[in-house]
Amino acid sequence: RFLVFIKGKLNMNYFITLFNYNFLPQGLAMINSLNKNSQCLIWIVCLDDKIYDFLKKKNLGFVELIEIKDLEKTMKYNYKKGRSFIEYCWMLTPFLFKYIFKKNKNVKELTYVDADLFFFKNLNPIFEEFKSSNKDIFITEHGYHKDHNKTDKSGKFCVQFLTFKNNNDAEKVRNEWELKCIESTAIDYKRNILGDQKYFDGLYDKYSANFCVSKNLNFYQAPWTLNRFKPEEAILFHFHTLRVE
């Protein structure tokens, strides 16, 4: 299915995300807005059977579903032990890239997107910035408003829209990130750990030549950017902590 679907789609942008049924409203809003603003294929790792069954019935042409059990079969150990649900979700992020790249060599780059993003505009300016950089990894900064700066605790970078190329240089960074996430994805400020995210401060320091850090902070808006940017400049908004009751 992977090979048949992807051949002939050379101009596709490839994305991956994960969520469970409790996150369905956010997830549906995200994938539909992404499809509206990008020629894309989105892999969704379904974190429970209920979300898998729901999305399978929807039969969305721009979506490929991955059951969590199939991803877990590729792992050496059961990493759930001793982790909360959210810590386990964070631990999975680096594995998502490895899973897709091993399944299909035709995918030259893959972008992870948080399920609570919403896209308002065409994504071409983002991908053009990455392409012109000739780098291996694309990442965004939080872009904190000066009155809401949590860099010390949450890190400089935000794992919300993260692209890895399918090459050896990117894999070296991804693998190191994976090992760190296996060790811990807790929220532990004393140990300088915040899920899967704050590790990128150190990874960037070590592998800065491989990173394209977006210069267009106004494209990626969120509660923590407050009124730092004009709303109409946003390509995406990160609806962090938004919950549907």
Side-chain angles (χ1 to χ4, degrees):
R1 179 75 186 272
F2 275 84
L3 290 171
V4 171
F5 195 93
I6 292 174
K7 282 184 177 179
K9 303 288 187 178
L10 298 180
N11 295 321
M12 276 279 191
N13 295 315
Y14 298 106
F15 300 90
I16 192 162
T17 191
L18 74 171
F19 54 92
N20 64 5
Y21 192 80
N22 291 336
F23 226 68
L24 177 62
Q26 295 94 322
L28 281 180
M30 187 277 287
I31 63 173
N32 284 315
S33 68
L34 183 54
N35 182 55
K36 182 179 178 180
N37 290 289
S38 175
Q39 185 180 4
C40 65
L41 172 62
I42 309 167
W43 282 282
I44 301 175
V45 176
C46 300
L47 296 173
D48 56 39
D49 292 339
K50 196 172 181 180
I51 189 65
Y52 177 81
D53 293 340
F54 178 91
L55 292 173
K56 188 175 181 180
K57 289 178 182 178
K58 284 289 184 182
N59 195 27
L60 299 170
F62 57 93
V63 166
E64 285 283 336
L65 303 179
I66 301 170
E67 294 185 81
I68 184 60
K69 64 183 180 182
D70 290 332
L71 176 61
E72 290 171 339
K73 287 176 184 177
T74 67
M75 299 177 184
K76 292 181 179 180
Y77 304 104
N78 179 4
Y79 297 113
K80 287 181 179 179
K81 188 176 180 180
R83 297 178 191 265
S84 67
F85 175 74
I86 189 60
E87 288 174 2
Y88 186 60
C89 291
W90 289 331
M91 196 282 306
L92 291 172
T93 319
F95 286 92
L96 304 181
F97 295 94
K98 181 165 65 174
Y99 182 85
I100 295 300
F101 289 152
K102 284 189 174 182
K103 284 285 185 180
N104 199 296
K105 305 299 182 183
N106 292 330
V107 176
K108 301 304 181 185
E109 62 183 53
L110 178 67
T111 301
Y112 166 79
V113 285
D114 274 343
D116 52 359
L117 301 183
F118 190 89
F119 296 87
F120 293 94
K121 294 181 181 179
N122 191 286
L123 275 68
N124 284 345
I126 298 176
F127 288 111
E128 287 169 3
E129 181 182 18
F130 185 37
K131 183 178 180 180
S132 65
S133 75
N134 291 316
K135 303 292 186 178
D136 305 295
I137 302 159
F138 181 87
I139 198 167
T140 66
E141 295 178 289
H142 278 101
Y144 291 115
H145 188 280
K146 61 182 177 61
D147 296 331
H148 196 67
N149 193 334
K150 293 186 178 180
T151 301
D152 289 345
K153 288 188 173 182
S154 299
K156 181 179 181 180
F157 303 105
C158 186
V159 178
Q160 59 180 349
F161 189 101
L162 176 67
T163 306
F164 276 80
K165 286 184 177 178
N166 188 3
N167 63 30
N168 291 333
D169 289 333
E171 170 56 20
K172 185 176 180 180
V173 180
R174 190 215 61 80
N175 184 65
E176 190 166 323
W177 179 36
E178 176 188 308
L179 294 175
K180 290 177 182 295
C181 288
I182 289 172
E183 183 178 344
S184 178
T185 45
I187 298 177
D188 190 336
Y189 299 125
K190 290 183 179 179
R191 295 169 58 202
N192 206 29
I193 298 172
L194 186 84
D196 59 345
Q197 183 167 272
K198 203 171 184 195
Y199 291 126
F200 276 98
D201 286 9
L203 290 170
Y204 178 76
D205 289 341
K206 187 174 180 180
Y207 300 105
S208 59
N210 301 105
F211 279 86
C212 172
V213 181
S214 181
K215 296 181 174 64
N216 299 295
L217 294 176
N218 54 320
F219 287 172
Y220 318 94
Q221 298 187 31
W224 49 81
T225 65
L226 297 179
N227 61 350
R228 182 180 177 186
F229 310 111
K230 296 179 180 178
E232 59 270 22
E233 295 174 346
I235 289 179
L236 66 85
F237 193 91
H238 192 158
F239 284 92
H240 181 67
T241 71
L242 174 68
R243 297 295 180 265
V244 178
E245 298 292 339

